[in-house]
Amino acid sequence: MDAKRRIIDLLEEKDEATLRILMLRADAVRRRFLGDAIHLRGLIEFSNHCRRDCLYCGLRRSNKNLVRYRMAPREIFAQAAEAANLGFRTVVLQSGEDPAYTIRALCSLVREIKSELSLAVTLCVGERTREDFLRLKQAGVDRYLLRFETSDPCLFRILKPDSDYERRFRCLEWLKAIGFQVGSGNIVGLPGQTMESLAEDILKFREMRLDMVGLGPFIAHPDTPLQGSRNGSLDLALRVVALTRIMTRTAHMPATTATGTIDREGRQKALQCGANVLMPNLTPVRYRRHYMIYPDKVGVGEDPARCRSRAESMAHSLGRTVGLDEGHSLGPRSAGLDVRKHHA
Ligand code: SAM
Ligand code: SF4
């Protein structure tokens, strides 16, 4: 049976014993290739302005109910310094697609963070030009996250009406060629998404030889055109995490906030079926509630120190350790799928 058919079968599997084997297998692959350390990345959501209009996202430009904010570079630097003080070795700087942050501004911020704080820097700021990516690399950016969201071109065009499917993948190719550690990912349970397209997403994660894969369930936002749609399920998101771990082996995979929002134990469960990264939120609390991609985001009121200690306790409660180094990519080492249906 080909890999795609096998993945679809496992996404639809009803037999509890087979599913238990899938989760155990994914956990064993994570342990074998990445060990027990959970890497912590401090997340700073520095602007919720966005020029795009993705149908699923609360930051979309047509959402007039959102209070918009933009942190000044010195505020972002101060949060990065706090991250370093709290013991983080990586910061993730994330925002909507906000043209007000020029490449020059981002580069000078990154240079300062790298030279003063010696942190690994991950950017997640959407699509830019190839020249912009080159300049960011030269400024010292280590990693770049850009989810393709769905590999189904028709669904992509509906949900991201002002983006271009081919261009998104071209950006990912540029990022790889320039030498970033590259992360991508998808949203699980989008309205109109089929099991076949989810299987294609997972195959793409492997084919693209990604260093990082981030994914979580779709959560409907009341101020978007997808209000009232059914949320993605934790169960399906966990199956995608497990299958992605088995297929990619070494990719760093966060237990995402969306997974923890849909189910209070969601992140712990993701960490037990393939995930090996947590991203405690270090955005200043006064801005955090406005970074409302979807409603009821977990951890909105917790200060950065508390977010870090919660992540550490989560790791320890699962018998895992907290990574002490930067947690750089180990390089892709993808695999086939060998979860047998009735393997004991
Ligand atoms: N603007 C950048 C971009 O889109 O690449 C980065 C920031 S964006 C807020 C980060 C991620 O949030 C997106 O890649 C998307 O997967 C996720 N997201 C947005 N709306 C969501 C929703 N309603 N449910 C689950 N995830 C969502
Ligand atoms: Fe903007 Fe990213 Fe949200 Fe799309 S997903 S509206 S690009 S912040």
Side-chain angles (χ1 to χ4, degrees), residues 5 33 51 87 102 104 146 160 297 303 306 341:
R5 185 67 250 162
F33 288 95
R51 67 187 172 115
T102 60
R104 180 197 277 250
L146 187 73
K160 286 179 75 67
K297 238 169 106 189
D303 68 52
R306 173 97 185 103
K341 193 157 182 153

Short mmCIF file of all heavy atoms in Angstrom, two decimals, residues 5 33 51 87 102 104 146 160 297 303 306 341:
data_model
loop_
_atom_site.label_atom_id
_atom_site.label_comp_id
_atom_site.label_asym_id
_atom_site.label_seq_id
_atom_site.Cartn_x
_atom_site.Cartn_y
_atom_site.Cartn_z
N ARG A 5 -2.02 6.39 1.08
CA ARG A 5 -3.20 5.59 1.48
C ARG A 5 -3.07 5.17 2.95
O ARG A 5 -4.02 5.21 3.71
CB ARG A 5 -3.26 4.37 0.54
CG ARG A 5 -4.43 3.46 0.68
CD ARG A 5 -5.74 4.13 0.26
NE ARG A 5 -6.57 4.36 1.45
CZ ARG A 5 -7.58 5.19 1.51
NH1 ARG A 5 -7.93 5.93 0.47
NH2 ARG A 5 -8.29 5.33 2.62
N PHE A 33 15.60 9.83 18.15
CA PHE A 33 16.31 10.81 17.31
C PHE A 33 16.57 12.14 18.01
O PHE A 33 17.48 12.86 17.63
CB PHE A 33 15.55 11.05 16.00
CG PHE A 33 15.64 9.87 15.07
CD1 PHE A 33 14.65 8.91 15.05
CD2 PHE A 33 16.76 9.71 14.26
CE1 PHE A 33 14.76 7.81 14.21
CE2 PHE A 33 16.87 8.61 13.42
CZ PHE A 33 15.88 7.65 13.40
N ARG A 51 -1.45 42.97 6.83
CA ARG A 51 -1.98 43.46 5.55
C ARG A 51 -2.79 42.39 4.83
O ARG A 51 -3.40 42.64 3.80
CB ARG A 51 -0.83 43.93 4.65
CG ARG A 51 0.08 42.82 4.19
CD ARG A 51 1.29 43.38 3.45
NE ARG A 51 2.24 42.32 3.17
CZ ARG A 51 2.55 41.91 1.94
NH1 ARG A 51 2.02 42.47 0.89
NH2 ARG A 51 3.43 40.94 1.78
N GLY A 87 16.70 32.50 31.15
CA GLY A 87 17.41 31.28 30.77
C GLY A 87 17.07 30.76 29.39
O GLY A 87 17.50 29.67 29.01
N THR A 102 10.12 47.54 8.60
CA THR A 102 10.94 47.40 7.39
C THR A 102 12.02 46.35 7.66
O THR A 102 12.33 46.03 8.81
CB THR A 102 11.62 48.74 7.07
OG1 THR A 102 12.44 49.07 8.20
CG2 THR A 102 10.59 49.83 6.82
N ARG A 104 15.08 46.85 7.20
CA ARG A 104 16.18 47.55 7.88
C ARG A 104 15.94 47.54 9.41
O ARG A 104 16.85 47.25 10.18
CB ARG A 104 16.24 49.00 7.37
CG ARG A 104 17.33 49.82 8.01
CD ARG A 104 17.00 51.28 7.76
NE ARG A 104 17.47 51.68 6.45
CZ ARG A 104 18.51 52.49 6.27
NH1 ARG A 104 19.12 53.01 7.31
NH2 ARG A 104 18.91 52.82 5.08
N LEU A 146 7.35 29.61 8.43
CA LEU A 146 6.33 30.04 7.47
C LEU A 146 5.47 28.82 7.14
O LEU A 146 5.85 27.99 6.32
CB LEU A 146 7.00 30.59 6.20
CG LEU A 146 6.07 31.24 5.18
CD1 LEU A 146 5.56 32.60 5.65
CD2 LEU A 146 6.78 31.41 3.83
N LYS A 160 -6.90 31.94 1.84
CA LYS A 160 -5.91 33.02 1.82
C LYS A 160 -6.09 33.78 0.50
O LYS A 160 -5.25 33.69 -0.40
CB LYS A 160 -4.48 32.44 1.94
CG LYS A 160 -4.15 31.97 3.35
CD LYS A 160 -2.75 31.39 3.44
CE LYS A 160 -1.64 32.40 3.43
NZ LYS A 160 -1.55 33.28 4.61
N LYS A 297 -7.28 32.01 23.94
CA LYS A 297 -5.91 31.50 23.88
C LYS A 297 -5.39 31.19 25.28
O LYS A 297 -5.53 32.01 26.18
CB LYS A 297 -5.02 32.56 23.24
CG LYS A 297 -4.30 32.11 22.01
CD LYS A 297 -3.70 33.29 21.32
CE LYS A 297 -2.21 33.33 21.52
NZ LYS A 297 -1.65 34.58 21.03
N ASP A 303 2.46 36.06 33.47
CA ASP A 303 3.66 36.83 33.15
C ASP A 303 4.75 35.87 32.64
O ASP A 303 4.68 34.65 32.83
CB ASP A 303 4.12 37.68 34.34
CG ASP A 303 4.61 36.83 35.48
OD1 ASP A 303 5.48 35.97 35.25
OD2 ASP A 303 4.12 37.00 36.60
N ARG A 306 6.27 33.19 34.89
CA ARG A 306 5.30 32.13 35.20
C ARG A 306 5.15 31.19 33.99
O ARG A 306 5.05 29.97 34.14
CB ARG A 306 3.97 32.79 35.58
CG ARG A 306 2.82 31.88 35.78
CD ARG A 306 2.60 31.55 37.27
NE ARG A 306 1.54 30.56 37.38
CZ ARG A 306 1.75 29.28 37.63
NH1 ARG A 306 2.96 28.82 37.86
NH2 ARG A 306 0.74 28.44 37.70
N LYS A 341 -0.81 -2.29 10.92
CA LYS A 341 -2.17 -2.18 11.43
C LYS A 341 -2.39 -2.97 12.71
O LYS A 341 -2.92 -2.46 13.68
CB LYS A 341 -3.15 -2.62 10.35
CG LYS A 341 -4.54 -2.23 10.70
CD LYS A 341 -5.42 -2.13 9.50
CE LYS A 341 -6.78 -1.66 10.03
NZ LYS A 341 -7.55 -0.96 9.11
#
